[in-house]
Amino acid sequence: MKSCTFELIVNILTYAIKNQGTAFSQKDFKNVVYTKEFHNLDINAKIADGCEYLLKRGFLQIQNTNLMYYEKYKLPDTISINTENYTKVFKELSKRIILMHEGKEMINDTYEVKDDYADIIDAVDMTNSDFFSQEDAKEMRVTISKILVSLNVETKAHYSLLTILQLLELKSAMKVKIKTKECEFAATNVKFNKLQFNDASIVLHFDKCSFEIDGIEDILYIDSIDTLPLQEHIKKSKNILKSYPEDATREFIAFLDKYAS
């Protein structure tokens, strides 16, 4: 991330949450933001950087249409907000979501976020596009899902919010184990459907069930129902990519090579 501050990112996400279900442009957001608060110099570039960050983290999605001059953004359908409709509540929720994603308890206003996992998100986006055949895309989704759940984060939570958000996009069949302060749950052959943020909890919605958790750290275990080892899936995926144009798959292959032993 270049010039956008943490506080401005929070404000953009807060605006998206307040306008849940409605698309907005960078110009729409600029019309309501207090630009003096963010040093009016280069405010357009800062807003663009903030939107790019939220896009790469899965907190925004682009609503494509040829009828609009400006790109329009909206909160993804995979994220649901169930809190009281107050700006202060939304802003605190935005801070909590971003901090949860970054694996931090607090961030100063000038914190610059690294694009450590941009390649994963690009791979998910490509897999969900029309580039691959249906059968090949299914294999890619399993491979990326296995890569995601193999990643450990340097926090008390075994899985990151990034992992959950991308599993929501992939919708591969998974098995999960969850343990809250009061209950323990398990489910097999379920697909991530939606992530709902409440005032003090999160609800994981699957295609067959849903679980309310206190935080991401309540998720003890996630894995694909496919029993083939990750390395075998990586080999299969790389072989599939050989049948597609090299210039279009080069970065995808490089992404898979990072996780090949």
Side-chain angles (χ1 to χ4, degrees):
M1 196 171 64
K2 300 171 186 175
S3 60
C4 185
T5 65
F6 173 69
E7 186 67 18
L8 185 54
I9 292 172
V10 168
N11 278 32
I12 297 171
L13 183 56
T14 300
Y15 187 78
I17 290 173
K18 285 178 68 176
N19 294 277
Q20 185 177 359
T22 304
F24 65 94
S25 69
Q26 293 181 22
K27 184 178 180 181
D28 294 332
F29 173 73
K30 184 184 175 183
N31 288 341
V32 300
V33 72
Y34 294 97
T35 54
K36 288 182 180 179
E37 184 180 349
F38 305 110
H39 309 294
N40 201 42
L41 182 65
D42 297 327
I43 188 64
N44 291 333
K46 292 175 182 178
I47 292 173
D49 286 344
C51 289
E52 182 70 13
Y53 164 83
L54 291 169
L55 275 172
K56 287 184 176 181
R57 265 58 183 181
F59 298 133
L60 288 182
Q61 67 182 29
I62 291 179
Q63 179 151 319
N64 293 317
T65 171
N66 295 325
L67 299 177
M68 296 177 180
Y69 181 76
Y70 296 101
E71 278 184 332
K72 292 275 188 174
Y73 307 91
K74 61 176 289 192
L75 204 67
D77 295 334
T78 51
I79 296 178
S80 175
I81 307 299
N82 182 32
T83 63
E84 294 185 45
N85 188 12
Y86 296 118
T87 299
K88 184 177 180 180
V89 173
F90 288 157
K91 192 165 185 176
E92 289 303 312
L93 176 61
S94 298
K95 288 181 180 179
R96 182 160 64 93
I97 290 172
I98 295 170
L99 290 171
M100 191 187 308
H101 193 284
E102 294 298 322
K104 297 178 181 294
E105 294 184 359
M106 61 182 297
I107 291 176
N108 63 48
D109 285 352
T110 58
Y111 178 76
E112 292 191 3
V113 183
K114 298 178 181 178
D115 291 331
D116 294 342
Y117 300 111
D119 55 349
I120 292 179
I121 295 170
D122 288 342
V124 171
D125 288 345
M126 187 173 182
T127 300
N128 284 342
S129 70
D130 295 329
F131 181 77
F132 296 115
S133 69
Q134 189 172 353
E135 193 63 29
D136 290 346
K138 183 179 179 181
E139 168 58 32
M140 295 299 173
R141 289 189 183 99
V142 173
T143 302
I144 301 173
S145 296
K146 282 181 169 283
I147 289 173
L148 280 166
V149 298
S150 72
L151 299 175
N152 293 329
V153 293
E154 296 177 359
T155 66
K156 62 181 179 178
H158 180 72
Y159 302 104
S160 67
L161 187 56
L162 172 124
T163 294
I164 305 304
L165 289 172
Q166 297 312 306
L167 289 173
L168 282 164
E169 296 294 331
L170 291 166
K171 290 182 168 45
S172 291
M174 311 297 290
K175 47 190 174 183
V176 297
K177 290 182 181 177
I178 294 168
K179 185 176 182 179
T180 67
K181 296 172 184 175
E182 300 177 351
C183 304
E184 188 167 348
F185 312 102
T188 301
N189 196 19
V190 293
K191 297 179 181 179
F192 281 89
N193 186 27
K194 186 171 64 175
L195 193 62
Q196 176 181 312
F197 290 96
N198 298 332
D199 287 324
S201 67
I202 300 170
V203 180
L204 288 172
H205 290 271
F206 298 94
D207 57 342
K208 300 175 183 177
C209 57
S210 62
F211 302 124
E212 185 171 10
I213 60 177
D214 299 312
I216 299 298
E217 63 274 11
D218 288 349
I219 304 172
L220 301 181
Y221 175 81
I222 311 174
D223 201 3
S224 170
I225 64 168
D226 188 290
T227 57
L228 194 68
L230 170 60
Q231 295 306 318
E232 292 301 315
H233 273 290
I234 290 176
K235 289 178 184 177
K236 285 177 63 177
S237 293
K238 288 177 70 174
N239 284 333
I240 288 171
L241 290 169
K242 291 178 182 177
S243 63
Y244 290 88
E246 183 181 353
D247 59 337
T249 59
R250 190 177 295 112
E251 291 184 3
F252 206 128
I253 292 172
F255 158 71
L256 293 175
D257 283 340
K258 284 177 58 177
Y259 301 96
S261 58

